[in-house]
Amino acid sequence: MNVQEYGLSLRSQALRMIKAGEMPKKVAQVWNVNIRSVQGWGRGDKLGFSMESKPKSRRPPKINRVAKIVIAKSLGKRRQSTRKLALRLTRRGCDVSHTSVHRYLRKSLGTTPFKRPQRPRLTLKMKKKPDRI
């Protein structure tokens, strides 16, 4: 779902046009906004709602300040997997999963978490040998 924030000045100008007698479809075309947005602004104005944008309600983050510090310090260490970090944080009393740690590393810190390299099933020596059939 693509949500776009429209400024307060645009909303107020669109409402002025609606109050002047313009149809919401025309206002939406003039300001290049969705007609449903314009209709919602008009409905909210009739009901007496504020023109200010409401703060978005979100789920509270599981990773607290202490956990963020521990994760940030672990970036300098080698071979720190998200599972090891989650286990260490759980022992400290911050119950987080490895996916929460992974998400924080990706989105907030912009890093890629450690992934253990998988050993190839065939070695180079085995690949060079011809098949005996």
Side-chain angles (χ1 to χ4, degrees), residues 91-125:
R91 288 180 185 151
R92 287 188 174 203
C94 180
D95 188 29
V96 294
S97 66
H98 69 95
T99 53
S100 297
V101 174
H102 183 89
R103 190 179 310 112
Y104 180 74
L105 282 169
R106 285 260 188 211
K107 293 195 176 197
S108 298
L109 300 179
T111 60
T112 54
F114 170 74
K115 287 192 177 181
R116 186 177 300 276
Q118 292 184 349
R119 292 186 177 176
R121 294 183 182 189
L122 294 175
T123 63
L124 293 175
K125 189 176 181 181

Side-chain angles (χ1 to χ4, degrees), residues 46-72:
K46 283 181 184 176
L47 295 174
F49 293 140
S50 173
M51 289 291 295
E52 296 291 324
S53 294
K54 292 180 231 156
K56 305 289 185 238
S57 63
R58 295 188 174 115
R59 181 179 180 179
K62 283 196 94 169
I63 297 181
N64 59 13
R65 189 176 62 86
V66 175
K68 289 178 183 179
I69 292 170
V70 170
I71 294 170

